[in-house]
Amino acid sequence: MVSSEANELMEKARRYLELAKISLEKGFYSEVCFLSSLSVELYIKGVSISLVGSFPAVHDVREILSYIKLKRGDLEIIEEFVRNNRDKLKDISNEYLVSRYNLSYSYTKEDAEECLSIAMMVIKFGEELLRSVSGKD
């Protein structure tokens, strides 16, 4: 069962994802990447609360997923997802800081689309993870 705190985080993540889509339409490309990163972090933290009751105080989605795997011990699907998407997960996690503070880089539409695509992939994985576990518990 998903707690109200987890639900709140996941709903906020969905709103940030919608804001990222709007930002893409407006040409605010660095904001797309920041909002995509934030949506991923909050969604997976909501998943973590749902599955293990807490989350680590980090921004890196790989670390949050590893935390869930470590606490649960039974979710090999996480290890496989991280292994298969390591570079994408690293990239989206780095956007939390890079998109706000690296003023020497100009984001392109392609950069923004990639960030948004990764965010949607990770959130979809989080939804699938919750569904798979709800069938076990």
Side-chain angles (χ1 to χ4, degrees):
M1 183 171 164
V2 178
S3 73
S4 63
E5 184 182 7
N7 260 339
E8 190 174 324
L9 281 175
M10 291 185 285
E11 186 54 39
K12 189 176 280 202
R14 287 185 190 98
R15 289 194 305 267
Y16 283 130
L17 190 63
E18 283 304 309
L19 288 172
K21 291 175 184 177
I22 293 167
S23 295
L24 179 62
E25 291 172 11
K26 297 208 174 269
F28 302 151
Y29 301 139
S30 67
E31 288 80 0
V32 172
C33 289
F34 172 70
L35 292 165
S36 295
S37 176
L38 189 55
S39 70
V40 163
E41 177 188 343
L42 293 180
Y43 198 88
I44 297 302
K45 283 182 175 179
V47 170
S48 185
I49 291 171
S50 296
L51 297 180
V52 300
S54 61
F55 59 82
V58 296
H59 300 293
D60 190 320
V61 69
R62 294 169 303 166
E63 290 183 47
I64 302 165
L65 288 168
S66 293
Y67 177 84
I68 297 168
K69 168 94 173 61
L70 179 69
K71 291 285 192 178
R72 288 277 307 206
D74 66 340
L75 299 174
E76 300 304 320
I77 188 172
I78 291 175
E79 192 174 323
E80 180 182 341
F81 179 76
V82 171
R83 184 175 49 254
N84 292 340
N85 297 287
R86 182 169 305 286
D87 289 339
K88 290 179 180 181
L89 297 174
K90 183 175 123 190
D91 290 346
I92 199 68
S93 293
N94 287 342
E95 289 302 333
Y96 182 80
L97 296 173
V98 173
S99 62
R100 292 186 296 165
Y101 300 114
N102 186 353
L103 303 178
S104 66
Y105 182 73
S106 294
Y107 282 80
T108 65
K109 183 177 183 181
E110 291 75 23
D111 294 329
E113 289 170 339
E114 180 69 11
C115 288
L116 196 54
S117 173
I118 294 168
M120 291 188 294
M121 174 195 70
V122 174
I123 288 172
K124 182 179 178 190
F125 173 73
E127 292 168 345
E128 292 170 0
L129 188 57
L130 288 172
R131 274 195 301 275
S132 75
V133 170
S134 68
K136 289 181 181 178
D137 292 342

